[in-house]
Amino acid sequence: MKKTFLTFLCLTIALFVTDRTGGIVMQWVCRHSNDVLSPKLQYVQDGIHEDMVLMGTSRCHHHYVPSIISDSVGITVYNAGVGGSGNIFAHYIMLCHILSRYTPKIICLDVAPTDYNQQRSPFSGTNLYSSLFGRNESADSVYRLAGSYWPYKISHLYRYNVRASSNLWGLLLNRQQDSDKGYIPLPCPEHRLSAPEFEDTDQSIDSLKMEYLKRFIAECRQRKIKLVFVASPKYTLVDNSYYGIFRSIADEYSIPFLDYHTSKRYQTHPELFKDVNHLWDQGARLFSREFSCDLKQIFH
């Protein structure tokens, strides 16, 4: 019995030391990795200071060129969009970490129906931010809902599990060479897209998502941050009801809503798109110029 207990104790200690050592090593890797995401999370945590922050998923990440917007509007801009982040739960985590560092003047949130509708795995995108776990209790509240709070709390190494291979490759390959304040351009596609198809969406409402969307709004209002909703271009056809929920929320809270998707202006230019969801660099630069002009009309 005593031998069994000592064996168990030794294994427990070995696992603890391995976990803590591994966590320290992966923390160092994240700080020095030049993959797509790590430098952005590091900058948001330690150095972000721009007047305007752009937030959202991959459409934000690849559609807004900060240097163009900054030159046009006359303020500093950072693109904090994260590909694969998914919905408002991930955006709220990012917001909490940004506000723990400083308060921007303007936040532009690139919105999509996934920010309010029901999904099979609504918290899947939150694990992209797990390396920041333990630094902000409001952000960590999302992990409590997702069921990953205690695994992250107990295991420091587990926090780096999802992006471990990407972070390690980032020590060897620099994915930030063409970056512009968080924006990373997509290359020109080899083949032009065919005619756009009609896109329908699930309008069912996830009450928890709506709660966090309203928390997002409340945090901005409390700190007197000017919030703007934006629907950046997609190569799909939609009707006016596609963003109906956001229009209602925007009206209720007096939030400007810029819609570049429903208007169909970009759907007549397939040469601007990398795929149905994303503009390539040429399209992003054209869109950023139009977006800048519309922002100036709102705030000047």
Side-chain angles (χ1 to χ4, degrees):
M1 184 70 180
K2 184 177 180 180
K3 184 178 180 180
T4 302
F5 174 75
L6 288 175
T7 301
F8 174 78
L9 181 61
C10 289
L11 285 173
T12 301
I13 293 173
L15 287 172
F16 178 84
V17 171
T18 300
D19 177 75
R20 293 303 189 265
T21 303
I24 292 171
V25 170
M26 288 307 300
Q27 184 180 47
W28 182 92
V29 169
C30 282
R31 282 188 170 274
H32 295 85
S33 177
N34 282 309
D35 75 336
V36 173
L37 182 55
S38 288
K40 178 170 290 188
L41 294 184
Q42 196 63 47
Y43 186 70
V44 165
Q45 184 64 28
D46 297 337
I48 191 168
H49 61 274
E50 282 75 11
D51 299 321
M52 178 192 295
V53 177
L54 304 156
M55 298 180 63
T57 60
S58 58
R59 285 167 65 195
C60 177
H61 190 190
H62 299 300
H63 286 185
Y64 301 83
V65 186
S67 59
I68 293 176
I69 300 169
S70 180
D71 289 344
S72 178
V73 182
I75 58 177
T76 55
V77 181
Y78 186 75
N79 186 328
V82 175
S85 54
N87 57 49
I88 192 62
F89 293 131
H91 306 334
Y92 183 77
I93 291 175
M94 177 67 91
L95 177 70
C96 290
H97 285 291
I98 290 173
L99 297 184
S100 69
R101 174 69 173 77
Y102 88 123
T103 301
K105 297 177 181 177
I106 302 169
I107 289 179
C108 296
L109 179 63
D110 193 291
V111 298
T114 52
D115 288 318
Y116 67 79
N117 66 14
Q118 296 180 8
Q119 294 176 290
R120 181 173 297 179
S121 302
F123 297 104
S124 60
T126 61
N127 55 23
L128 296 174
Y129 306 90
S130 56
S131 62
L132 302 179
F133 178 84
R135 305 185 188 187
N136 186 285
E137 184 56 38
S138 295
D140 291 348
S141 69
V142 179
Y143 296 117
R144 292 183 184 274
L145 297 173
S148 53
Y149 180 88
W150 283 109
Y152 291 149
K153 184 77 171 178
I154 294 169
S155 174
H156 290 196
L157 184 58
Y158 183 65
R159 302 172 189 178
Y160 301 94
N161 182 53
V162 171
R163 295 177 39 246
S165 60
S166 177
N167 284 329
L168 289 169
W169 275 112
L171 297 176
L172 302 174
L173 303 174
N174 187 355
R175 302 286 301 277
Q176 300 291 320
Q177 289 179 335
D178 299 319
S179 64
D180 176 352
K181 288 290 185 178
Y183 163 78
I184 293 183
L186 291 176
C188 178
E190 295 182 2
H191 304 287
R192 181 175 294 191
L193 297 174
S194 56
E197 297 182 357
F198 183 80
E199 179 185 2
D200 199 3
T201 188
D202 182 3
Q203 295 289 342
S204 60
I205 294 178
D206 184 323
S207 59
L208 198 54
K209 284 185 178 180
M210 289 298 291
E211 177 185 335
Y212 270 81
L213 179 59
K214 290 180 180 180
R215 285 191 188 189
F216 191 106
I217 295 170
E219 290 283 356
C220 292
R221 289 165 69 94
Q222 182 179 350
R223 294 172 181 257
K224 301 188 184 326
I225 299 170
K226 297 175 182 178
L227 178 61
V228 180
F229 286 164
V230 189
S232 62
K234 287 183 68 177
Y235 195 66
T236 59
L237 302 175
V238 294
D239 57 31
N240 289 329
S241 66
Y242 191 86
Y243 294 102
I245 298 294
F246 284 109
R247 295 186 191 282
S248 297
I249 294 173
D251 289 342
E252 179 181 354
Y253 292 95
S254 300
I255 299 171
F257 180 39
L258 301 176
D259 180 6
Y260 302 93
H261 184 191
T262 308
S263 65
K264 301 181 176 61
R265 290 197 299 275
Y266 286 82
Q267 286 85 340
T268 57
H269 296 281
E271 71 278 4
L272 299 178
F273 287 85
K274 171 68 174 176
D275 53 46
V276 295
N277 291 312
H278 304 101
L279 299 163
W280 73 281
D281 187 48
Q282 183 185 67
R285 292 180 179 278
L286 182 66
F287 164 65
S288 294
R289 293 186 185 96
E290 181 180 9
F291 172 67
S292 301
C293 291
D294 292 338
L295 274 183
K296 284 196 293 186
Q297 292 180 4
I298 293 173
F299 295 119
H300 289 77

